[in-house]
Amino acid sequence: MRPSPSPSFARVLAALCASLALSLAGGCGGAAPLAPPAPETGGGLIGSAAPELAAEVVSGEGPSTLKDARGKVVIVDFWATYCRPCRKSFPKYQALLDRFGGNLAVLAVSLDAPEDVSTEQLTAFADEAGVRFKILWDKDQSAEKAYKPRRMPTAFVVDRGGVVRHIHAGYEDGEEDKISREIEALLGPAAAPPPADGGRQSP
C-alpha cells in the first residue's frame, strides 16, 4: 500500500493546484484585467460638425437649436438635476453669457429620465441656479447618443461655424476660466468683450 504524503507535502501540493486553477480561470473567461478607461473625447467630435439638437424646449432665453445659434459660439452643456457639479457650473455659464452677450449662446441639455422628473423640476433647477439660458430636455436620448458625454456635466464648445472645438468632461472650480479663453480665441479680438476698466489707460 502506497504511503500517504506528509502533511507539509500535501499543503505545498494544494497551494500549487490552487495557483494553477487561478491561472487557468484568468485565461479562460475568468476575471479579466480591467481595461483602461475610454478617453473622454465625447465620441471623437472635436473638429467635427456638432450634431443638431432636437430636444424639447423647457425654458430660458436665446436660441433652441444650433441652427438658430449659427454665428455665435455655443456651449452645449449636458446636465441633470441629480448632478451636484451642475449646480456650480450653471451660474458660471450664465456669467459667461452675460460677459460675451450676443456672441455666445448656452444650450443646456438635461439627461434626466422622463419618469424621474417633471418639467417643473427642471425649471426649478434653473431658477434656483439663477440662469436664463435655454434649458432643453433630451427625453428620447437622441442628443446623448449623438454626443456621448462621458461625465456629468460635459460641455461642448462649438465655434461660430458649428464645429466642436473643445470638450470639458466634468466641472471643477476655475473651469469657466478655460472656457472663457477658448471663447475669446474663437471670437477673435474684434468680437471679444472690452476690458473691465473700459480700456482706459493710466495717465
Side-chain angles (χ1 to χ4, degrees):
M1 185 175 181
R2 183 176 298 177
S4 301
S6 65
S8 60
F9 177 77
R11 284 195 296 270
V12 171
L13 182 61
L16 288 173
C17 289
S19 176
L20 179 61
L22 288 173
S23 298
L24 290 175
C28 302
L34 293 175
E40 295 177 304
T41 59
L45 286 179
I46 290 181
S48 302
E52 185 53 280
L53 299 168
E56 179 180 313
V57 176
V58 174
S59 65
E61 304 170 358
S64 303
T65 66
L66 288 170
K67 181 180 179 180
D68 292 342
R70 188 60 63 94
K72 304 174 185 284
V73 173
V74 183
I75 298 174
V76 179
D77 179 59
F78 288 91
W79 67 284
T81 54
Y82 55 79
C83 167
R84 290 187 178 181
C86 299
R87 297 184 183 276
K88 293 183 178 181
S89 64
F90 261 38
K92 302 300 184 181
Y93 295 151
Q94 182 62 52
L96 288 173
L97 192 60
D98 293 341
R99 179 185 177 199
F100 289 98
N103 293 315
L104 177 68
V106 177
L107 300 176
V109 185
S110 168
L111 298 184
D112 288 283
E115 60 270 21
D116 294 337
V117 299
S118 65
T119 300
E120 290 74 20
Q121 286 173 295
L122 298 182
T123 303
F125 186 99
D127 290 344
E128 291 169 6
V131 302
R132 301 182 303 278
F133 49 71
K134 191 67 72 177
I135 303 296
L136 306 175
W137 194 358
D138 187 32
K139 282 186 173 181
D140 63 359
Q141 300 180 327
S142 60
E144 182 179 9
K145 291 174 183 176
Y147 281 83
K148 297 180 175 64
R150 300 286 184 176
R151 298 170 67 180
M152 297 289 279
T154 293
F156 294 78
V157 181
V158 181
D159 70 16
R160 291 186 287 182
V163 176
V164 177
R165 294 302 181 187
H166 305 279
I167 299 173
H168 295 261
Y171 175 81
E172 298 179 358
D173 292 338
E175 197 78 26
E176 68 278 5
D177 295 331
K178 300 177 186 177
I179 298 176
S180 179
R181 291 192 293 270
E182 293 166 359
I183 295 169
E184 288 180 355
L186 292 174
L187 289 174
D197 62 358
R200 295 188 301 271
Q201 296 183 352
S202 300

